[in-house]
Amino acid sequence: QVQLVESGGGLVQTGGSLRLSCAASGLTFSRYAMGWFRQAPGKEREFVTYINWSGSSTYYADSVKGRFTISRDNAKNTVYLQMNSLKPEDTAVYYCAGNIAGGGSVRPQVYDAWGQGTQVTVSS
């Protein structure tokens, strides 16, 4: 059974930092591209970033470029999202997702597995 479990969310002030983790089980993690998406209340789920299966390629939404960093540890079956210089508009539920194709995508439809999400709230 494929399972993705996010952790690390919380409440932080503007300008602060958080590190999200997503632990995977039930899949060959090193074959999967991993992505982070987020969904704010009343809004559609939006792409944040992805990393390919090996970690050699990453891609970021313009809204987080230069502030967020995605990384992965295939030995630990875990993907991370380091979020710095947080803004109130970053407030959302953050989801990790896995794509067996391995290359990553900005389209949520291509991801095969999803976590339950972790809440990130940035206060002004």
Side-chain angles (χ1 to χ4, degrees), residues 76-121:
K76 296 183 178 179
N77 287 4
T78 302
V79 62
Y80 305 97
L81 182 63
Q82 178 67 45
M83 305 186 295
N84 299 329
S85 303
L86 282 161
K87 306 175 181 179
E89 50 264 45
D90 294 318
T91 294
V93 177
Y94 282 72
Y95 299 89
C96 71
N99 172 21
I100 187 59
S105 174
V106 303
R107 300 171 58 227
Q109 298 93 326
V110 305
Y111 287 82
D112 311 287
W114 290 85
Q116 293 300 307
T118 185
Q119 176 70 47
V120 171
T121 303

Short mmCIF file of all heavy atoms in Angstrom, two decimals, residues 76-121:
data_model
loop_
_atom_site.label_atom_id
_atom_site.label_comp_id
_atom_site.label_asym_id
_atom_site.label_seq_id
_atom_site.Cartn_x
_atom_site.Cartn_y
_atom_site.Cartn_z
N LYS A 76 16.39 7.36 2.63
CA LYS A 76 15.39 7.50 3.69
C LYS A 76 13.97 7.56 3.16
O LYS A 76 13.03 7.77 3.93
CB LYS A 76 15.68 8.76 4.52
CG LYS A 76 16.99 8.70 5.28
CD LYS A 76 17.18 9.96 6.12
CE LYS A 76 18.48 9.88 6.93
NZ LYS A 76 18.69 11.10 7.75
N ASN A 77 13.82 7.42 1.84
CA ASN A 77 12.48 7.48 1.23
C ASN A 77 11.73 8.75 1.63
O ASN A 77 10.53 8.72 1.94
CB ASN A 77 11.64 6.26 1.61
CG ASN A 77 12.08 4.99 0.90
OD1 ASN A 77 13.06 4.99 0.16
ND2 ASN A 77 11.38 3.91 1.15
N THR A 78 12.44 9.86 1.60
CA THR A 78 11.87 11.11 2.08
C THR A 78 12.20 12.26 1.14
O THR A 78 13.32 12.35 0.64
CB THR A 78 12.38 11.43 3.50
OG1 THR A 78 12.04 10.35 4.38
CG2 THR A 78 11.75 12.71 4.04
N VAL A 79 11.22 13.12 0.94
CA VAL A 79 11.42 14.36 0.20
C VAL A 79 11.16 15.51 1.16
O VAL A 79 10.30 15.41 2.05
CB VAL A 79 10.53 14.43 -1.05
CG1 VAL A 79 9.05 14.41 -0.69
CG2 VAL A 79 10.87 15.64 -1.89
N TYR A 80 11.90 16.59 0.98
CA TYR A 80 11.83 17.73 1.88
C TYR A 80 11.46 19.00 1.10
O TYR A 80 11.74 19.12 -0.09
CB TYR A 80 13.17 17.95 2.57
CG TYR A 80 13.70 16.74 3.29
CD1 TYR A 80 14.63 15.90 2.70
CD2 TYR A 80 13.26 16.45 4.58
CE1 TYR A 80 15.12 14.79 3.35
CE2 TYR A 80 13.74 15.33 5.25
CZ TYR A 80 14.67 14.51 4.63
OH TYR A 80 15.15 13.40 5.29
N LEU A 81 10.88 19.93 1.82
CA LEU A 81 10.64 21.26 1.27
C LEU A 81 11.07 22.27 2.33
O LEU A 81 10.40 22.43 3.34
CB LEU A 81 9.16 21.46 0.91
CG LEU A 81 8.83 22.80 0.28
CD1 LEU A 81 9.56 22.97 -1.06
CD2 LEU A 81 7.32 22.97 0.09
N GLN A 82 12.19 22.92 2.06
CA GLN A 82 12.66 23.99 2.93
C GLN A 82 12.03 25.29 2.47
O GLN A 82 12.20 25.68 1.30
CB GLN A 82 14.18 24.09 2.87
CG GLN A 82 14.76 25.21 3.71
CD GLN A 82 14.57 25.00 5.20
OE1 GLN A 82 14.79 23.90 5.71
NE2 GLN A 82 14.14 26.04 5.91
N MET A 83 11.32 25.94 3.36
CA MET A 83 10.61 27.17 3.01
C MET A 83 11.16 28.31 3.85
O MET A 83 11.06 28.28 5.09
CB MET A 83 9.11 27.00 3.27
CG MET A 83 8.50 25.81 2.54
SD MET A 83 6.71 25.71 2.72
CE MET A 83 6.57 25.44 4.48
N ASN A 84 11.74 29.27 3.19
CA ASN A 84 12.30 30.45 3.84
C ASN A 84 11.56 31.70 3.42
O ASN A 84 10.83 31.69 2.41
CB ASN A 84 13.79 30.58 3.50
CG ASN A 84 14.62 29.41 3.95
OD1 ASN A 84 14.32 28.77 4.96
ND2 ASN A 84 15.66 29.11 3.21
N SER A 85 11.75 32.76 4.16
CA SER A 85 11.13 34.05 3.84
C SER A 85 9.64 33.90 3.57
O SER A 85 9.10 34.40 2.58
CB SER A 85 11.82 34.68 2.63
OG SER A 85 13.20 34.84 2.86
N LEU A 86 8.98 33.21 4.46
CA LEU A 86 7.56 32.91 4.25
C LEU A 86 6.71 34.16 4.30
O LEU A 86 6.99 35.12 5.04
CB LEU A 86 7.09 31.90 5.30
CG LEU A 86 7.52 30.45 5.01
CD1 LEU A 86 7.45 29.59 6.25
CD2 LEU A 86 6.67 29.88 3.89
N LYS A 87 5.66 34.14 3.49
CA LYS A 87 4.73 35.25 3.36
C LYS A 87 3.31 34.76 3.71
O LYS A 87 3.02 33.56 3.58
CB LYS A 87 4.73 35.77 1.92
CG LYS A 87 6.09 36.14 1.37
CD LYS A 87 6.00 36.51 -0.10
CE LYS A 87 7.36 36.85 -0.68
NZ LYS A 87 7.27 37.20 -2.13
N PRO A 88 2.45 35.67 4.08
CA PRO A 88 1.06 35.24 4.38
C PRO A 88 0.41 34.51 3.21
O PRO A 88 -0.39 33.59 3.44
CB PRO A 88 0.36 36.57 4.68
CG PRO A 88 1.44 37.44 5.23
CD PRO A 88 2.68 37.07 4.44
N GLU A 89 0.76 34.87 2.00
CA GLU A 89 0.16 34.21 0.84
C GLU A 89 0.66 32.78 0.64
O GLU A 89 0.16 32.07 -0.22
CB GLU A 89 0.39 35.02 -0.44
CG GLU A 89 1.82 35.45 -0.67
CD GLU A 89 2.10 36.86 -0.18
OE1 GLU A 89 1.67 37.22 0.95
OE2 GLU A 89 2.79 37.61 -0.92
N ASP A 90 1.64 32.36 1.43
CA ASP A 90 2.07 30.97 1.40
C ASP A 90 1.18 30.08 2.27
O ASP A 90 1.33 28.85 2.28
CB ASP A 90 3.51 30.85 1.89
CG ASP A 90 4.52 31.52 0.96
OD1 ASP A 90 4.37 31.38 -0.26
OD2 ASP A 90 5.43 32.19 1.49
N THR A 91 0.27 30.69 3.01
CA THR A 91 -0.63 29.93 3.86
C THR A 91 -1.48 28.99 3.02
O THR A 91 -2.16 29.41 2.08
CB THR A 91 -1.53 30.88 4.67
OG1 THR A 91 -0.72 31.63 5.57
CG2 THR A 91 -2.58 30.10 5.46
N ALA A 92 -1.43 27.71 3.36
CA ALA A 92 -2.15 26.69 2.59
C ALA A 92 -1.92 25.33 3.24
O ALA A 92 -1.08 25.19 4.13
CB ALA A 92 -1.66 26.65 1.14
N VAL A 93 -2.66 24.36 2.75
CA VAL A 93 -2.34 22.97 3.05
C VAL A 93 -1.36 22.51 1.97
O VAL A 93 -1.62 22.68 0.77
CB VAL A 93 -3.59 22.07 3.04
CG1 VAL A 93 -3.20 20.62 3.28
CG2 VAL A 93 -4.58 22.54 4.11
N TYR A 94 -0.26 21.95 2.41
CA TYR A 94 0.79 21.51 1.49
C TYR A 94 0.73 19.99 1.36
O TYR A 94 0.69 19.26 2.35
CB TYR A 94 2.16 21.94 2.00
CG TYR A 94 2.43 23.40 1.74
CD1 TYR A 94 1.76 24.39 2.46
CD2 TYR A 94 3.34 23.80 0.77
CE1 TYR A 94 1.98 25.73 2.21
CE2 TYR A 94 3.58 25.14 0.51
CZ TYR A 94 2.89 26.10 1.23
OH TYR A 94 3.12 27.42 0.98
N TYR A 95 0.75 19.55 0.10
CA TYR A 95 0.66 18.13 -0.22
C TYR A 95 1.91 17.68 -0.96
O TYR A 95 2.39 18.38 -1.85
CB TYR A 95 -0.54 17.86 -1.12
CG TYR A 95 -1.88 18.21 -0.53
CD1 TYR A 95 -2.41 19.48 -0.70
CD2 TYR A 95 -2.62 17.26 0.16
CE1 TYR A 95 -3.65 19.82 -0.18
CE2 TYR A 95 -3.86 17.59 0.69
CZ TYR A 95 -4.36 18.86 0.51
OH TYR A 95 -5.59 19.18 1.04
N CYS A 96 2.41 16.51 -0.62
CA CYS A 96 3.42 15.91 -1.47
C CYS A 96 2.75 14.87 -2.36
O CYS A 96 1.70 14.32 -2.03
CB CYS A 96 4.56 15.30 -0.66
SG CYS A 96 4.16 13.81 0.24
N ALA A 97 3.38 14.62 -3.50
CA ALA A 97 2.82 13.71 -4.49
C ALA A 97 3.94 13.00 -5.21
O ALA A 97 5.02 13.56 -5.40
CB ALA A 97 1.94 14.48 -5.47
N GLY A 98 3.65 11.78 -5.64
CA GLY A 98 4.64 10.97 -6.34
C GLY A 98 4.19 10.62 -7.74
O GLY A 98 3.02 10.32 -7.98
N ASN A 99 5.14 10.67 -8.67
CA ASN A 99 4.88 10.39 -10.08
C ASN A 99 5.85 9.32 -10.56
O ASN A 99 7.05 9.56 -10.64
CB ASN A 99 5.05 11.68 -10.89
CG ASN A 99 5.00 11.46 -12.37
OD1 ASN A 99 4.46 10.45 -12.83
ND2 ASN A 99 5.54 12.37 -13.13
N ILE A 100 5.30 8.14 -10.89
CA ILE A 100 6.13 7.01 -11.27
C ILE A 100 6.92 7.28 -12.55
O ILE A 100 7.95 6.65 -12.79
CB ILE A 100 5.27 5.74 -11.44
CG1 ILE A 100 6.14 4.50 -11.68
CG2 ILE A 100 4.27 5.90 -12.57
CD1 ILE A 100 7.14 4.19 -10.58
N ALA A 101 6.47 8.23 -13.36
CA ALA A 101 7.17 8.51 -14.61
C ALA A 101 8.58 9.01 -14.34
O ALA A 101 9.44 8.94 -15.22
CB ALA A 101 6.40 9.52 -15.44
N GLY A 102 8.80 9.58 -13.14
CA GLY A 102 10.16 9.89 -12.74
C GLY A 102 10.67 11.27 -13.07
O GLY A 102 11.64 11.73 -12.47
N GLY A 103 10.03 11.94 -14.05
CA GLY A 103 10.60 13.21 -14.48
C GLY A 103 10.01 14.44 -13.84
O GLY A 103 10.60 15.51 -13.92
N GLY A 104 8.85 14.30 -13.23
CA GLY A 104 8.22 15.45 -12.59
C GLY A 104 7.31 16.20 -13.54
O GLY A 104 7.46 16.14 -14.76
N SER A 105 6.34 16.90 -12.98
CA SER A 105 5.38 17.66 -13.78
C SER A 105 4.72 18.72 -12.92
O SER A 105 4.62 18.55 -11.70
CB SER A 105 4.30 16.72 -14.34
OG SER A 105 3.28 17.45 -15.00
N VAL A 106 4.27 19.78 -13.57
CA VAL A 106 3.52 20.81 -12.85
C VAL A 106 2.04 20.44 -12.78
O VAL A 106 1.27 21.12 -12.11
CB VAL A 106 3.69 22.19 -13.50
CG1 VAL A 106 5.16 22.56 -13.57
CG2 VAL A 106 3.05 22.21 -14.88
N ARG A 107 1.63 19.42 -13.51
CA ARG A 107 0.24 19.03 -13.59
C ARG A 107 -0.09 18.01 -12.50
O ARG A 107 0.45 16.91 -12.51
CB ARG A 107 -0.07 18.46 -14.96
CG ARG A 107 0.17 19.43 -16.11
CD ARG A 107 0.04 18.73 -17.44
NE ARG A 107 -1.26 18.12 -17.58
CZ ARG A 107 -1.45 16.87 -18.02
NH1 ARG A 107 -0.43 16.12 -18.31
NH2 ARG A 107 -2.67 16.40 -18.15
N PRO A 108 -1.00 18.32 -11.61
CA PRO A 108 -1.34 17.37 -10.54
C PRO A 108 -1.94 16.07 -11.09
O PRO A 108 -1.83 15.04 -10.43
CB PRO A 108 -2.34 18.14 -9.68
CG PRO A 108 -2.89 19.22 -10.56
CD PRO A 108 -1.78 19.58 -11.50
N GLN A 109 -2.53 16.12 -12.28
CA GLN A 109 -3.20 14.94 -12.81
C GLN A 109 -2.26 13.78 -13.08
O GLN A 109 -2.69 12.62 -13.13
CB GLN A 109 -3.93 15.30 -14.12
CG GLN A 109 -5.02 16.33 -13.96
CD GLN A 109 -4.51 17.74 -14.22
OE1 GLN A 109 -3.37 18.08 -13.92
NE2 GLN A 109 -5.38 18.57 -14.76
N VAL A 110 -0.98 14.06 -13.27
CA VAL A 110 -0.05 12.98 -13.63
C VAL A 110 0.54 12.28 -12.41
O VAL A 110 1.25 11.29 -12.55
CB VAL A 110 1.08 13.49 -14.53
CG1 VAL A 110 0.52 14.18 -15.77
CG2 VAL A 110 2.02 14.40 -13.78
N TYR A 111 0.24 12.78 -11.24
CA TYR A 111 0.81 12.17 -10.03
C TYR A 111 -0.05 11.00 -9.58
O TYR A 111 -1.28 11.07 -9.59
CB TYR A 111 0.97 13.22 -8.93
CG TYR A 111 2.11 14.16 -9.22
CD1 TYR A 111 1.94 15.24 -10.08
CD2 TYR A 111 3.36 13.95 -8.66
CE1 TYR A 111 3.01 16.08 -10.37
CE2 TYR A 111 4.43 14.79 -8.94
CZ TYR A 111 4.23 15.85 -9.80
OH TYR A 111 5.29 16.68 -10.10
N ASP A 112 0.62 9.94 -9.18
CA ASP A 112 -0.05 8.68 -8.87
C ASP A 112 -0.41 8.52 -7.40
O ASP A 112 -1.29 7.73 -7.06
CB ASP A 112 0.87 7.51 -9.25
CG ASP A 112 1.43 7.65 -10.64
OD1 ASP A 112 0.66 7.45 -11.59
OD2 ASP A 112 2.63 7.96 -10.76
N ALA A 113 0.30 9.22 -6.56
CA ALA A 113 0.09 9.06 -5.13
C ALA A 113 0.14 10.41 -4.45
O ALA A 113 0.94 11.27 -4.85
CB ALA A 113 1.17 8.14 -4.54
N TRP A 114 -0.67 10.57 -3.42
CA TRP A 114 -0.78 11.84 -2.71
C TRP A 114 -0.79 11.60 -1.20
O TRP A 114 -1.32 10.60 -0.72
CB TRP A 114 -2.07 12.56 -3.09
CG TRP A 114 -2.07 13.09 -4.47
CD1 TRP A 114 -2.40 12.43 -5.61
CD2 TRP A 114 -1.70 14.42 -4.86
NE1 TRP A 114 -2.26 13.26 -6.70
CE2 TRP A 114 -1.84 14.48 -6.27
CE3 TRP A 114 -1.29 15.55 -4.18
CZ2 TRP A 114 -1.56 15.64 -6.99
CZ3 TRP A 114 -1.02 16.70 -4.89
CH2 TRP A 114 -1.15 16.74 -6.29
N GLY A 115 -0.20 12.54 -0.49
CA GLY A 115 -0.31 12.54 0.95
C GLY A 115 -1.58 13.24 1.39
O GLY A 115 -2.35 13.75 0.57
N GLN A 116 -1.79 13.26 2.70
CA GLN A 116 -2.99 13.87 3.27
C GLN A 116 -2.84 15.37 3.48
O GLN A 116 -3.85 16.06 3.69
CB GLN A 116 -3.33 13.19 4.60
CG GLN A 116 -3.76 11.74 4.43
CD GLN A 116 -4.99 11.61 3.57
OE1 GLN A 116 -6.02 12.23 3.81
NE2 GLN A 116 -4.90 10.79 2.53
N GLY A 117 -1.63 15.85 3.44
CA GLY A 117 -1.42 17.29 3.56
C GLY A 117 -1.01 17.71 4.96
O GLY A 117 -1.34 17.05 5.95
N THR A 118 -0.33 18.84 5.03
CA THR A 118 0.05 19.44 6.29
C THR A 118 -0.20 20.95 6.19
O THR A 118 0.11 21.57 5.18
CB THR A 118 1.51 19.13 6.65
OG1 THR A 118 1.81 19.64 7.96
CG2 THR A 118 2.49 19.73 5.66
N GLN A 119 -0.77 21.50 7.23
CA GLN A 119 -1.16 22.91 7.22
C GLN A 119 0.03 23.81 7.51
O GLN A 119 0.77 23.58 8.48
CB GLN A 119 -2.25 23.16 8.25
CG GLN A 119 -2.68 24.62 8.39
CD GLN A 119 -3.45 25.11 7.18
OE1 GLN A 119 -4.37 24.44 6.71
NE2 GLN A 119 -3.09 26.30 6.68
N VAL A 120 0.19 24.81 6.68
CA VAL A 120 1.18 25.86 6.91
C VAL A 120 0.42 27.18 7.01
O VAL A 120 -0.33 27.53 6.10
CB VAL A 120 2.21 25.92 5.77
CG1 VAL A 120 3.09 27.16 5.92
CG2 VAL A 120 3.05 24.66 5.75
N THR A 121 0.63 27.88 8.10
CA THR A 121 -0.02 29.17 8.31
C THR A 121 1.03 30.21 8.61
O THR A 121 1.84 30.04 9.53
CB THR A 121 -1.03 29.10 9.46
OG1 THR A 121 -1.99 28.07 9.20
CG2 THR A 121 -1.74 30.43 9.63
#
